[in-house]
Amino acid sequence: MALLGLSTVAVSASVCPTGPRWRVDSGTSRIPSSGCRKTVRCKAVGDNRQGSLAETIVYEGIYGPWTIDDSDVREVILYRTGLVTAASSFVVAASAAFLPDNSLLKQNLDLFYVLGSGGLGLSLLLIHIYVSEIKRALQALWGLGVLGSATTYFALAQPANNNLIQYVLHNPSAVWLVGPLFAALTGLVFKEGLCYGKLEAGLLTFVIPILLLGHLDPHDSYIVVLHIFCLQVALVKQTTGLMDDGVKLTLLASWMTLFVVFAGRKFTQPIKDDIGDKSVFMFNSLRDNERKALLEKLQQQKTQN
């Protein structure tokens, strides 16, 4: 029972991956189950410190040893590429706040909105979170935000001869339609800050709502948790919020800088960090009877040791 309780906690919490326990030249790493084996092909890709494809690092997980294969590396690279796309699109779009009103950039903000939304969606599709319900919730928020953005654009903005950014700027109630997209972004940033102790992610968690609070009227401040791209870009155009334009510009510039640092530093992390403890995901993929058999086997091994 003690082992089962520990396993439940491990599946439900964010567990930082452990370091390598040993190295092997070839072979496979297996997690035993009832009547079958889950096999991971050993390949030294991504975390190979010696640069030799013949060498593989084996990590010891909660439910057994695991290794990194080519598909893991591809997923992590695409996940990080999505973040870079989202951050780059935001920075370019937010730069419009510092340019003249008739700039060419401000006429094409919706394009960057679409690119940034797509990059975020890719990252949420590939993000590794032990609790699958949380991952699905973030993906659902993203989907609701995309649907709300499309509805706002086609049903409200176009008939008013506005682009999406302009419409939400002049109609703050549209925040409720596009907001879930950025609630998903908030969840992703929070996860990164919590799991890896990233200062820039932690600061983003506070800078974003503070900036939006300064933009909104005091009686609307309760919606600051909805991070709206178009509001971020256009904050300096408003004078009815709690902050003056100078403070808003400073916070917006801070946001841009932190987002770039956040996305860029993802490529300085080992591949295994974004994978997490792969044995947990393999355990979650097992049937109930296989999980029970595995837990019993682990308990026996613990007793023998």
Side-chain angles (χ1 to χ4, degrees):
M1 292 299 293
L3 179 60
L4 181 58
L6 178 62
S7 301
T8 302
V9 172
V11 173
S12 303
S14 293
V15 180
C16 295
T18 58
R21 293 293 296 274
W22 64 83
R23 297 172 184 263
V24 297
D25 290 332
S26 62
T28 56
S29 169
R30 297 182 175 89
I31 295 180
S33 60
S34 177
C36 68
R37 289 182 174 181
K38 294 291 181 178
T39 302
V40 181
R41 189 179 302 278
C42 291
K43 294 184 180 178
V45 182
D47 276 5
N48 186 351
R49 299 174 184 175
Q50 303 300 325
S52 171
L53 294 179
E55 185 181 36
T56 296
I57 300 177
V58 179
Y59 300 94
E60 184 65 27
I62 294 177
Y63 301 107
W66 58 275
T67 61
I68 298 174
D69 59 28
D70 290 336
S71 63
D72 296 323
V73 176
R74 284 193 294 270
E75 284 191 4
V76 171
I77 291 177
L78 287 173
Y79 168 73
R80 296 176 180 181
T81 300
L83 291 180
V84 169
T85 301
S88 301
S89 299
F90 166 75
V91 169
V92 173
S95 299
F98 302 89
L99 299 175
D101 289 340
N102 60 352
S103 67
L104 180 63
L105 176 59
K106 289 191 175 182
Q107 300 173 20
N108 295 278
L109 290 180
D110 285 354
L111 172 62
F112 296 103
Y113 184 93
V114 172
L115 291 175
S117 300
L120 176 61
L122 176 63
S123 294
L124 289 173
L125 177 66
L126 300 174
I127 191 172
H128 284 195
I129 300 178
Y130 295 134
V131 185
S132 58
E133 290 79 7
I134 296 178
K135 179 177 180 178
R136 287 195 292 268
L138 293 178
Q139 292 171 343
L141 285 171
W142 179 87
L144 287 173
V146 170
L147 179 61
S149 298
T151 300
T152 302
Y153 177 75
F154 290 108
L156 301 174
Q158 275 201 332
N161 198 29
N162 289 147
N163 59 37
L164 178 63
I165 305 300
Q166 291 175 326
Y167 185 84
V168 178
L169 170 62
H170 299 296
N171 299 272
S173 60
V175 162
W176 295 106
L177 294 173
V178 299
L181 184 70
F182 299 95
L185 173 61
T186 303
L188 186 151
V189 173
F190 178 77
K191 176 262 183 188
E192 289 280 338
L194 183 65
C195 290
Y196 309 122
K198 289 182 172 292
L199 177 61
E200 63 273 16
L203 292 176
L204 277 172
T205 305
F206 293 98
V207 169
I208 294 173
I210 290 174
L211 182 57
L212 291 177
L213 178 62
H215 166 71
L216 296 170
D217 291 331
H219 66 277
D220 290 329
S221 62
Y222 62 91
I223 63 173
V224 298
V225 295
L226 302 177
H227 302 151
I228 311 307
F229 222 10
C230 34
L231 288 180
Q232 297 161 5
V233 174
L235 288 178
V236 296
K237 309 299 292 182
Q238 299 296 308
T239 58
T240 58
L242 299 177
M243 300 178 183
D244 60 34
D245 288 350
V247 176
K248 292 178 182 179
L249 279 170
T250 300
L251 286 173
L252 185 60
S254 299
W255 187 337
M256 295 164 65
T257 302
L258 289 169
F259 211 171
V260 169
V261 173
F262 168 71
R265 285 189 65 201
K266 289 301 299 177
F267 286 91
T268 67
Q269 288 183 260
I271 292 293
K272 68 178 180 62
D273 282 5
D274 281 328
I275 295 174
D277 186 343
K278 192 174 178 179
S279 71
V280 174
F281 299 106
M282 297 176 69
F283 177 82
N284 290 340
S285 69
L286 299 175
R287 294 188 293 270
D288 290 341
N289 62 322
E290 294 174 335
R291 294 182 186 181
K292 182 179 179 180
L294 175 57
L295 292 174
E296 291 175 351
K297 185 175 182 65
L298 292 175
Q299 180 65 66
Q300 292 174 0
Q301 293 175 351
K302 181 179 179 181
T303 303
Q304 294 172 358
N305 295 334

